[in-house]
Amino acid sequence: MTQRIEDYALIGDLQTAALVGMDGSVDWLCLPRFDSGACFAALLGDEENGHWRLAPKGAGRCTRRRYVGESLVLESVWETRTGTVKIVDFMPQRDAAPDVIRIVEGVSGAVEMAGTLRLRFDYGSVVPWVRRSDGERIAIAGPDSVWLRSEPQVKTWGHQFSTRSSFTVGAGEKVAFVLTWHPSHHDRPALCDPFDALEESLTDWAAWSSRCQSEGPYREAVVRSLITLKGLTYAPTGGIVAAPTTSLPEELGGVRNWDYRFCWLRDATLTLGALLSAGYLDEAKAWRNWLLRAVAGDPADLQIMYGLSGERRLPEMELPWLSGYEGSSPVRTGNEAVRQLQLDVYGEVIDSLYLARAAGLPAERHAWNLELSLLGFLESRWREPDEGLWEVRGARRHFVHSKVMAWVAADRAVRTLEEHPEMRGDVGRWRTMRDEVHQEVCEKGYDPVRNTFTQSYGSVELDAAALLIPRVGFLPPEDPRVIGTVDAIRAELGTGDGLVRRYSTAGEAVDGLPGSEGAFLACSFWLVDALRMTGRVKEAREIFEQLLALRNDVGLLAEEYDPVSGRQVGNFPQAFSHIGLVSTALALCREDTAG
């Protein structure tokens, strides 16, 4: 039976991540990187596409589970007729080879355990050759090699192209399984002591989490979201993936299934702001430096997203052998949206670098020259239509949010030159651009009859991105046009319970796609921010706490929420959702302090 998206928990080693279900099955894992081919792809197909289940024999879902302290170490507990057992799942930060470690510990009585390891490389399409060597199982196919061992050794055997295991644990007994990947042409990597690795992981995570500067009623939610963001970080470069998964649907059974295992520029400012506000300066600096490396080059070649190390080519393809999550096909890898024109990203990059400068991050000498180059390009192109923030696959339009972010780019340049007169630049030139953009948006992107900014020039559709207008400073929160926009978006895009859709998918297909989608959780946090900024703090707090209640049992959020089925949908866990949670929680706490 397919598990709900929210039935999964995340473990990871800051270079890749796995999803572990409540039934004890690892159903998604890409090795060795987030964007590598999956060796467990049951999430997007079935068990024949690869999984690793470890649980009491004949048992279903675990009785309860949690993360151990403020860490990414997962503990799942089963209470059975014969006793109680727990499994601790984690991935230690790697020295060289990635390890998945699963430690079974008897709590009471005696529990018979059963394991099934079904490796399928290249997204579930390649069955490896498996052999024994000194008590270990070795699976090899092409460039991939995986070793499985247990401490102490337990009985394993092959069955229908899988490796089975069976053993019994009593109270206080422990059995550890270690699964290690390495290139098949390399020698066997050094052995990892699973019990030492557990202690080191818990110590490392506790030290990292203790750096969080957030206090108050939402600290637990903030820390859990920050840990999730850290778990989505590709440590070698500092890039943060939007999600560790591909093709989890925005509509169950639909076609809106995209690969999110890349780094989006649209997340830059919000990510940087959340990290800086919570006191994670090293992570903010690493993300800023990733950003500078990724966008270096000709401004005309700026992309909306990049690979983990700044790769530019992310070709999209379909995997027809995978049926899709709950029949949601096609399953895709890569993302064709990388080739789109989205003018808002210029504003987001320049805003991020302005924020980093204001926060006191060590300056990069070439950063300002890069900003001036981006500004010069945007100055000549901002009047053009584009695909907009949401990567619509319909016709290009004059999206209001894109124009607002062009204003942000010019505004941050003006502020920088006013605050740092020693820096070179024509402040008058950028003031002129800022004024021109502002005037055009207010004339062409605002509907005076309905008192709201629209999605694009001349359209009747609304866009939740307009909730960011007061946040970026385009207009003050008390401006009647801002208040009208907030109210209109709630009325037309809201679901009545504080959730907000990005835009309407009814009628004319703005995004060029059939079907619909759930409420976008990041936009729902933007609504909370807009209500707070417009003086409706009590209402904002009530909606925020409703959003907190949508997290799964271990505090994770997907991209969207379907209020009809009452389920999370979209790629999971989603960085954008957790960034929104952190930023909104910290803003509400500042509101309390100021009050």
Side-chain angles (χ1 to χ4, degrees), residues 6-29:
E6 57 265 40
D7 286 341
Y8 288 98
L10 178 79
I11 60 173
D13 64 0
L14 310 189
Q15 294 192 44
T16 190
L19 294 186
V20 185
M22 295 189 77
D23 64 350
S25 183
V26 181
D27 287 344
W28 181 255
L29 173 63

Side-chain angles (χ1 to χ4, degrees), residues 523-594:
C523 295
S524 303
F525 287 115
W526 295 350
L527 173 61
V528 175
D529 293 334
L531 290 172
R532 176 188 58 79
M533 294 182 74
T534 54
R536 291 171 275 187
V537 178
K538 182 176 182 293
E539 194 173 359
R541 191 179 305 279
E542 290 173 351
I543 294 176
F544 178 72
E545 291 179 356
Q546 291 172 14
L547 291 172
L548 286 185
L550 299 181
R551 297 177 300 156
N552 74 354
D553 59 311
V554 289
L556 301 181
L557 288 170
E559 179 185 25
E560 301 181 8
Y561 186 82
D562 181 354
V564 176
S565 64
R567 293 178 57 180
Q568 295 193 32
V569 290
N571 283 302
F572 174 88
Q574 176 77 5
F576 216 27
S577 300
H578 286 281
I579 291 164
L581 188 157
V582 170
S583 298
T584 301
L586 295 177
L588 287 171
C589 288
R590 288 194 294 271
E591 192 81 35
D592 289 343
T593 303

Side-chain angles (χ1 to χ4, degrees), residues 85 90 223 273 394 430 487 521-522 554 574 576:
V85 66
F90 67 105
V223 171
W430 307 125
D487 291 341
L521 292 172
V554 289
Q574 176 77 5
F576 216 27

Side-chain angles (χ1 to χ4, degrees), residues 97-121:
D99 296 299
V100 179
I101 298 178
R102 315 193 72 180
I103 299 176
V104 183
E105 180 178 349
V107 177
S108 65
V111 180
E112 185 179 359
M113 302 294 296
T116 299
L117 172 65
R118 185 174 280 111
L119 285 160
R120 298 291 186 269
F121 297 121

